[in-house]
Amino acid sequence: MTGDELTVLVDRLRWDRRRDPYRGRREYSKIARQVAEECDRLVADGRADLAVPVLRKAIDRITRALMYLDDSSGIIGDDLQELMDLYAKVCVAALPNPVSLAGWLVKLACDGPGWPRVRLADFAPALGKRGIAEVERLVAERARVADPESWTAGFAVRDLREQLAEVSGDVDRYVAVLAEHLTSAAQYQRIAETLCTAGRRDEAIGWARRGVATNAGSPYTDRLRDLLVNMLLAAGDTSGARRVRRKEFSRHPTAAGYRSLIDTAGAAGGDDPTGWALEVLRDRVDQEPVYASELVGVLVAVGREDEAWQEALRHRRWLGGPQWQTLLERRAVMHPAEVIQPYRDLVEQVILNSADKRRYRRAIALLPALRAAYQAAGEPAAFGRYLAELRIAHKRRPTFLKTLDAAGL
């Protein structure tokens, strides 16, 4: 493809804001991918310098277009990020003016709509010392004039400062910048991972402990806690690793937490914590019945099927539909008579769930399992009588009856 043809192709990435945002998205994505393919060819032919202006223009146009066209599938956003990644590689090969490149990157990150993601590490070889210094200068200037009430402006500056510290290779500087904004477990995790990679495991463990303690109730702390446990195990502190798991399970006893507890016990050695975990869960259920689903899940996991069934019957209202249905299926294998009434209750409950538009189909989908339970219990004729009763009970639901007839039961 000639330079003029490539220019025409990139021009097709313009998007008129008056256009229907839902039409032409597939064709637009195809053009973006074609631009990437042609620029790849230029690089392969040793003409990366020709691809630099083409890709920058393409990125600018798609960035603007995404403000007006619908990209709920994320396809065009992915195309844009791929072009951005390709642009970084092309810049490394062609080495454009580093000051100009630095200005464009900072403007895109600070003034853009939030896409594509600017990754300074990818551009660092192309920026060189001069370009990195320019980014530093521009970011400092942005920080001075940023509106303190603007979350987006503050985020962009903070993100670039963190990236600059990271590409500097100075671990202490990177940790110090990350530590300026310790609002989530993710920041603590990044610090701990950086220190651990640098061979400073004791410091990493200290930061991870602080992060876990500070963000104990956040679901995003799980990965940080896993990192802490792995570092403790690597350091030979098996009792410390077990304590971390036990403390979390005591705070929030769940089936997932039990699996983590068991995995750590297996890696660290020592006594099986199952008995202790079940005691913790039973005490918690007495105080907060909502934890009954977790208790049932753990009982099933350790093979205590009878206990799981009894707890499920006691706390039926706290079990979700999928979990209850799975329990019925498991119980029906050895005790079919016990699941007949629960299945009937479940069918009735589903039929009466007016919030579910597919309730009739869902209810009828349960009937084969109920029929199998009747047969396994030695009462095959009872299922026919049940169906007759069901028709009478719901005779004013013609749609249900029609759906039931269609099922051929």
Side-chain angles (χ1 to χ4, degrees):
M1 180 176 288
T2 66
D4 289 342
E5 289 173 328
L6 189 52
T7 298
V8 171
L9 184 64
V10 174
D11 282 342
R12 292 172 61 192
L13 290 173
R14 295 180 185 274
W15 185 275
D16 188 334
R17 67 181 67 183
R18 294 168 297 181
R19 286 179 61 179
D20 184 338
Y22 299 97
R23 297 186 63 182
R25 294 170 296 173
R26 183 177 300 177
E27 293 77 9
Y28 191 88
S29 174
K30 184 177 179 180
I31 296 169
R33 291 196 299 270
Q34 192 175 351
V35 169
E37 291 169 3
E38 294 300 329
C39 287
D40 261 331
R41 270 195 206 94
L42 287 174
V43 175
D45 292 342
R47 297 186 294 168
D49 57 314
L50 298 180
V52 170
V54 170
L55 283 171
R56 184 182 292 193
K57 186 180 292 186
I59 290 168
D60 286 339
R61 287 185 176 166
I62 299 174
T63 298
R64 285 193 295 270
L66 279 172
M67 298 176 70
Y68 303 106
L69 63 81
D70 175 74
D71 187 41
S72 51
S73 65
I75 293 174
I76 297 174
D78 290 342
D79 293 335
L80 174 58
Q81 192 62 56
E82 288 177 13
L83 283 171
M84 187 69 171
D85 296 341
L86 176 58
Y87 183 53
K89 295 176 184 176
V90 168
C91 285
V92 172
L95 297 178
N97 183 291
V99 173
S100 172
L101 177 60
W104 182 78
L105 290 171
V106 172
K107 183 174 178 57
L108 180 60
C110 294
D111 299 334
W115 58 79
R117 176 83 166 94
V118 173
R119 291 190 276 255
L120 289 182
D122 295 343
F123 287 93
L127 287 165
K129 290 184 179 180
R130 187 180 171 202
I132 291 293
E134 179 66 5
V135 173
E136 296 263 18
R137 186 187 71 80
L138 292 172
V139 170
E141 186 177 296
R142 293 275 184 164
R144 283 195 301 272
V145 301
D147 180 357
E149 301 298 321
S150 173
W151 182 89
T152 54
F155 174 83
V157 168
R158 185 173 66 252
D159 180 52
L160 288 176
R161 289 188 67 241
E162 290 176 0
Q163 290 195 59
L164 283 166
E166 184 177 16
V167 299
S168 74
D170 185 334
V171 172
D172 290 323
R173 175 187 173 186
Y174 186 43
V175 169
V177 173
L178 289 175
E180 292 175 3
H181 196 72
L182 295 173
T183 57
S184 72
Q187 293 294 86
Y188 286 94
Q189 182 172 342
R190 291 168 67 187
I191 291 174
E193 288 173 340
T194 298
L195 290 168
C196 191
T197 301
R200 296 158 62 172
R201 189 168 57 197
D202 290 345
E203 293 176 72
I205 289 173
W207 275 99
R209 285 190 188 281
R210 284 175 55 190
V212 168
T214 305
N215 302 275
S218 170
Y220 303 105
T221 307
D222 291 343
R223 291 177 61 186
L224 177 60
R225 186 177 296 104
D226 291 343
L227 174 63
L228 173 58
V229 168
N230 289 336
M231 289 191 296
L232 289 170
L233 290 174
D237 187 0
T238 55
S239 59
R242 288 195 298 269
R243 281 196 300 272
V244 170
R245 293 300 188 197
R246 282 183 174 247
K247 184 176 182 179
E248 173 59 13
F249 192 82
S250 296
R251 186 193 70 81
H252 186 49
T254 64
Y258 171 75
R259 288 192 293 271
S260 296
L261 186 69
I262 287 296
D263 289 344
T264 300
D271 297 334
D272 182 350
T274 297
W276 172 82
L278 286 174
E279 184 178 344
V280 169
L281 261 171
R282 291 186 193 281
D283 288 344
R284 184 60 59 86
V285 170
D286 289 342
Q287 302 168 35
E288 301 176 68
V290 69
Y291 279 91
S293 63
E294 305 294 347
L295 173 59
V296 170
V298 172
L299 287 170
V300 169
V302 300
R304 301 190 185 185
E305 300 281 349
D306 289 341
E307 291 180 57
W309 177 249
Q310 293 304 320
E311 291 292 347
L313 291 177
R314 283 179 55 204
H315 302 285
R316 168 68 186 93
R317 62 172 294 200
W318 301 107
L319 270 62
Q323 184 182 28
W324 178 237
Q325 193 170 336
T326 298
L327 284 169
L328 291 178
E329 293 169 0
R330 296 173 70 97
R331 193 67 179 174
V333 175
M334 299 300 296
H335 306 277
E338 294 184 20
V339 303
I340 290 175
Q341 189 57 51
Y343 260 125
R344 292 180 56 153
D345 293 341
L346 184 57
V347 169
E348 190 69 14
Q349 177 185 338
V350 173
I351 290 173
L352 298 178
N353 183 13
S354 59
D356 186 354
K357 294 181 179 180
R358 301 182 63 190
R359 59 188 181 278
Y360 295 154
R361 291 184 181 277
R362 295 187 197 281
I364 291 169
L366 296 168
L367 295 179
L370 177 55
R371 178 175 58 191
Y374 271 115
Q375 291 173 342
E379 302 180 63
F383 180 70
R385 294 195 294 272
Y386 163 73
L387 283 183
E389 294 170 3
L390 192 65
R391 290 178 181 278
I392 294 172
H394 298 285
K395 61 183 178 181
R396 294 185 179 179
R397 301 177 186 272
T399 302
F400 170 71
L401 297 178
K402 187 182 296 184
T403 307
L404 180 59
D405 290 337
L409 295 168

